[in-house]
Amino acid sequence: MKVRLTQQARTELGSIGDHIAKDNPVRAVSFMRELLACCASLGDAPLGYPLIPRYEQHGIRRRVHGNYLLLYRVEADQVVVLHVLHGARDYLPLLGSGDA
């Protein structure tokens, strides 16, 4: 299944890369590749990760990669990555009503 990143997810990925690059530019590049590969692999088993409690009705799921979370929704013909965030962040307010 095709995987699409929202503009918000792309912006968050860029911020993560910039943050890591301050201390370790080489690791920033390799970690960004890991995160992008993780996103791409969602298309192989889109229903393989848990729904987020309280957002089940909106179909929003969560995949963990290290200290980061990929928040996504499975649609009829694609997986849409909504957010890529550090796991310590309170992400529930970002989801609002689930229409992210």
Side-chain angles (χ1 to χ4, degrees):
M1 185 175 282
K2 178 182 171 182
V3 176
R4 179 177 66 83
L5 278 70
T6 62
Q7 185 57 48
Q8 182 64 40
R10 291 178 186 280
T11 298
E12 292 161 350
L13 276 168
S15 295
I16 292 165
D18 291 345
H19 178 74
I20 295 171
K22 290 176 186 174
D23 294 325
N24 191 338
V26 173
R27 180 60 182 140
V29 171
S30 67
F31 192 68
M32 288 300 95
R33 286 185 183 140
E34 287 175 29
L35 280 174
L36 287 170
C38 208
C39 289
S41 73
L42 291 172
D44 297 333
L47 302 177
Y49 298 93
L51 290 163
I52 297 175
R54 296 184 10 213
Y55 292 87
E56 297 96 338
Q57 70 275 18
H58 300 288
I60 300 176
R61 296 177 177 272
R62 169 181 54 212
R63 179 177 181 179
V64 177
H65 180 75
N67 292 328
Y68 291 85
L69 302 174
L70 309 176
L71 307 180
Y72 69 98
R73 177 176 49 226
V74 180
E75 296 181 352
D77 61 344
Q78 66 182 349
V79 175
V80 179
V81 178
L82 305 168
H83 295 282
V84 181
L85 305 167
H86 192 278
R89 184 164 177 189
D90 181 12
Y91 61 85
L92 294 178
L94 293 173
L95 298 178
S97 66
D99 297 328

